[in-house]
Amino acid sequence: MSAQLHSVPEEEGTLAVRAETFEDFFRAEHSQLFRALCLVTGSRQEAEDVMQVAFLKVFERWDRVAVMDNPQGFVYRVAMNEFRSRYRRAVRTTKRALTPGEPDDAFAVVEDCDVVIRALRDLIPQQRAALVLTSLLGYSSDEAGRMLGMAPSTVRALSTRARQTMRTNVGEI
């Protein structure tokens, strides 16, 4: 079976190959893409894996890709995006594996949240709102004042009193 390829003029007198079917496109592009990915990844195995994912994504969208002005560029872009995603994933995994630290205590996090929530409940609503907006959400006293309809100095005073009350009731949080 012969491949059904058509030469399509592109810019500056170059020719791009337009494939009738995905199989024809794959046959025409896979070796050049593989060589390029070998250079980018530095590994034949990684290049094969990335190329396989890229062609699978192109195959899934072949009805749209086939009519693009530059389907070759699209498969290269998909391949490079896949390579970058794999690289970022590997970096994150390595950082997690190499970062020293003590194992997480899931119960300690829940307990800390519970202490904070209980301490916030002991505050009057204006103190709670001022403290949450300024300390937990990071708004300035001017921004929090506009949201709450009060002067920035009032927000600062309410936040200060709220922290004092929480220290008295719970200790340093």
Side-chain angles (χ1 to χ4, degrees):
M1 180 174 169
S2 66
Q4 298 292 326
L5 302 175
H6 300 286
S7 294
V8 178
E10 280 197 350
E11 49 198 67
E12 301 287 322
T14 61
L15 291 178
V17 176
R18 173 84 25 110
E20 294 280 327
T21 66
F22 173 79
E23 291 80 11
D24 295 336
F25 176 75
F26 177 82
R27 283 188 204 101
E29 298 298 323
H30 84 281
S31 62
Q32 189 172 350
L33 178 61
F34 177 70
R35 285 192 299 268
L37 287 171
C38 282
L39 292 172
V40 169
T41 65
S43 162
R44 291 178 61 87
Q45 181 63 44
E46 183 75 11
E48 288 174 1
D49 291 346
V50 170
M51 185 176 69
Q52 183 178 17
V53 170
F55 275 117
L56 176 63
K57 288 180 179 180
V58 169
F59 175 72
E60 291 171 341
R61 297 162 182 79
W62 182 246
D63 57 325
R64 292 179 299 225
V65 174
V67 296
M68 288 181 173
D69 289 337
N70 188 1
Q72 295 84 3
F74 182 75
V75 75
Y76 276 80
R77 186 170 0 131
V78 170
M80 290 309 299
N81 286 342
E82 176 65 20
F83 171 68
R84 283 190 292 272
S85 293
R86 286 171 176 249
Y87 178 77
R88 284 191 296 265
R89 198 173 312 121
V91 167
R92 278 193 311 268
T93 301
T94 303
K95 281 182 182 178
R96 259 187 248 125
L98 297 178
T99 302
E102 297 186 22
D104 291 339
D105 182 4
F107 294 114
V109 173
V110 171
E111 189 175 306
D112 290 345
C113 287
D114 184 53
V115 168
V116 171
I117 290 169
R118 288 177 191 268
L120 286 171
R121 285 186 188 148
D122 291 341
L123 302 173
I124 63 171
Q126 293 87 353
Q127 287 177 337
R128 186 176 27 233
L131 188 64
V132 167
L133 288 173
T134 57
S135 296
L136 297 177
L137 298 179
Y139 289 105
S140 69
S141 56
D142 291 334
E143 294 168 322
R146 280 193 296 275
M147 289 180 209
L148 297 172
M150 56 182 72
S153 59
T154 305
V155 171
R156 288 189 294 275
L158 287 168
S159 296
T160 301
R161 281 191 222 117
R163 281 190 213 92
Q164 288 170 346
T165 302
M166 290 177 73
R167 279 190 204 103
T168 302
N169 294 346
V170 179
E172 192 66 38
I173 294 180

